[in-house]
Amino acid sequence: MSERKVLNKYYPPDFDPSKIPKLKLPKDRQYVVRLMAPFNMRCKTCGEYIYKGKKFNARKETVQNESYLGLPIFRFYIKCTRCLAEITFKTDPENTDYTMEHGATRNFQAEKLLEEEEKRVQKEREDEELNNPMKVLENRTKDSKLEMEVLENLQELKDLNQRQAHVDFEAMLRQHRLSEEERQRQEQEEDERETAALVEESRKRRLLEDSDSEEDTSPTQPQPALRPNPTAILDEQTPKAKRKAESWERSVGTLGSRPQLSGLVVKKTGLDTSIRRGRAPPLPGRGLGFDEICQQLILEPGNCLAADRKQ
């Protein structure tokens, strides 16, 4: 059975690889590659910002007649994400970076510009010193003078730091300990004040609750009834009492106007009333009381019947 994945191919004995025709492709042919923006840039057409790391489907080609130490230089074509304008940049193997070519401006390259300016000044100085020995002497004098000034300034700073750097560690520790104790004391006082305030508040609340419970549970004491004057009934008679007296007079008559009916009424003396009620008779020489007078005025049915039988 033959192999599923054919890794080896059959070459006949008369195989000649030189006879295989080669494709003649142009040297400036382009390839579609997927890349990310190597730096921050801004489109010149619409002003859109393109940040570093944004992905593009770019076209890559080899720059003709340009190389660095035999290394080829490649050019990339991308399109702006907003206006679709074409932006080109190429590789810079000399500085291990990329160079903006067309369609946009590179942002945030102040450090790079500063480094380039320093390199340019250094190169100009070397060129001047190469052909002018007096210029070399002058530059050396300036460098030595500048170095002396820098050393003097550095020494002044060291002296100033030494004068200000004299620190008493014991005093620092003592001050720290005192500040820590003061902070703890203040915290303790605050805690005590808060505790006292809470206790006072709880005590007031408890007193209010106790007073409310006492008011709810305490029975209301009845007010003592005002006793009327015993003789007030003689001075004032209610309409009901007046009606009873009138009905009595119509049925029986007064004690003095009709002698035939007055005999039926037996007047109770104070002695019989007192004995019946278990009271002592009135003493001689003392007038009848209010109760005795009321009893004499009240007629009982039993007494009336007894008087009728006697007649």
Side-chain angles (χ1 to χ4, degrees):
M1 186 175 178
S2 63
E3 188 179 0
R4 184 174 65 85
K5 291 184 177 180
V6 180
L7 302 177
N8 298 322
K9 297 182 180 180
Y10 174 72
Y11 293 96
D14 56 350
F15 175 73
D16 187 4
S18 62
K19 294 181 180 180
I20 298 176
K22 295 183 180 180
L23 296 175
K24 294 182 179 180
L25 300 175
K27 294 183 180 180
D28 57 348
R29 63 183 182 273
Q30 295 181 353
Y31 301 93
V32 177
V33 294
R34 182 77 170 174
L35 57 78
M36 291 187 293
F39 47 78
N40 298 323
M41 63 185 79
R42 184 182 182 186
C43 179
K44 290 182 178 180
T45 305
C46 62
E48 177 71 11
Y49 286 95
I50 301 174
Y51 297 98
K52 180 179 179 180
K54 191 173 182 61
K55 293 183 179 180
F56 292 93
N57 292 324
R59 291 180 289 111
K60 183 187 78 169
E61 69 177 8
T62 304
V63 180
Q64 299 297 322
N65 301 326
E66 287 188 22
S67 64
Y68 175 73
L69 301 178
L71 298 175
I73 296 176
F74 300 101
R75 181 182 288 112
F76 300 94
Y77 298 88
I78 62 174
K79 291 184 178 181
C80 176
T81 57
R82 185 176 179 183
C83 64
L84 300 179
E86 191 174 59
I87 300 172
T88 61
F89 56 89
K90 61 182 181 180
T91 58
D92 185 9
E94 182 180 359
N95 299 317
T96 62
D97 198 1
Y98 292 84
T99 303
M100 176 59 64
E101 244 187 350
H102 173 73
T105 56
R106 184 171 179 175
N107 300 333
F108 307 110
Q109 54 179 353
E111 186 177 358
K112 181 180 178 181
L113 295 176
L114 182 60
E115 292 177 356
E116 291 178 356
E117 184 67 21
E118 290 179 354
K119 289 180 180 179
R120 185 182 62 79
V121 172
Q122 184 68 21
K123 187 176 181 180
E124 290 178 358
R125 180 177 178 179
E126 290 176 358
D127 293 341
E128 289 178 358
E129 291 178 354
L130 183 61
N131 300 322
N132 191 357
M134 295 299 296
K135 192 68 174 178
V136 175
L137 181 60
E138 183 179 354
N139 292 336
R140 288 180 181 177
T141 305
K142 288 182 179 179
D143 293 341
S144 61
K145 185 177 181 181
L146 181 62
E147 185 177 358
M148 291 296 294
E149 291 179 357
V150 170
L151 290 175
E152 289 178 359
N153 294 334
L154 182 61
Q155 187 64 30
E156 289 180 0
L157 291 175
K158 287 183 179 179
D159 296 340
L160 182 61
N161 292 335
Q162 287 180 358
R163 288 196 300 268
Q164 295 181 354
H166 180 68
V167 179
D168 188 2
F169 294 100
E170 294 295 334
M172 289 179 61
L173 293 175
R174 192 181 308 108
Q175 184 68 22
H176 177 70
R177 186 169 56 255
L178 292 175
S179 62
E180 188 69 19
E181 292 177 357
E182 182 67 20
R183 185 180 62 81
Q184 292 179 359
R185 186 179 60 81
Q186 291 179 0
E187 291 180 356
Q188 185 176 1
E189 290 179 357
E190 291 179 359
D191 294 341
E192 290 178 357
R193 285 196 297 269
E194 291 179 358
T195 305
L198 291 176
V199 170
E200 183 67 20
E201 185 178 357
S202 62
R203 188 178 65 82
K204 291 180 179 180
R205 189 182 300 110
R206 193 180 301 111
L207 290 175
L208 291 175
E209 292 176 356
D210 294 344
S211 62
D212 294 341
S213 60
E214 288 178 1
E215 291 178 359
D216 295 340
T217 56
S218 60
T220 57
Q221 297 181 359
Q223 294 290 337
L226 297 176
R227 294 182 179 180
N229 191 1
T231 59
I233 193 172
L234 299 178
D235 300 334
E236 298 180 2
Q237 291 185 355
T238 60
K240 188 176 181 180
K242 290 181 179 180
R243 286 195 298 271
K244 286 183 178 181
E246 291 175 358
S247 63
W248 172 261
E249 290 179 357
R250 284 195 300 271
S251 60
V252 178
T254 57
L255 294 179
S257 61
R258 288 188 176 184
Q260 62 274 13
L261 295 178
S262 62
L264 299 176
V265 179
V266 178
K267 295 183 179 180
K268 293 190 292 183
T269 61
L271 180 60
D272 297 336
T273 307
S274 301
I275 292 171
R276 184 176 296 180
R277 291 194 177 186
R279 296 181 182 178
L283 297 176
R286 181 177 175 270
L288 295 177
F290 176 75
D291 295 337
E292 287 80 2
I293 295 172
C294 293
Q295 290 295 333
Q296 290 179 5
L297 296 176
I298 296 173
L299 298 177
E300 294 183 0
N303 293 336
C304 295
L305 293 175
D308 192 9
R309 288 192 191 99
K310 287 180 181 180
Q311 290 179 358

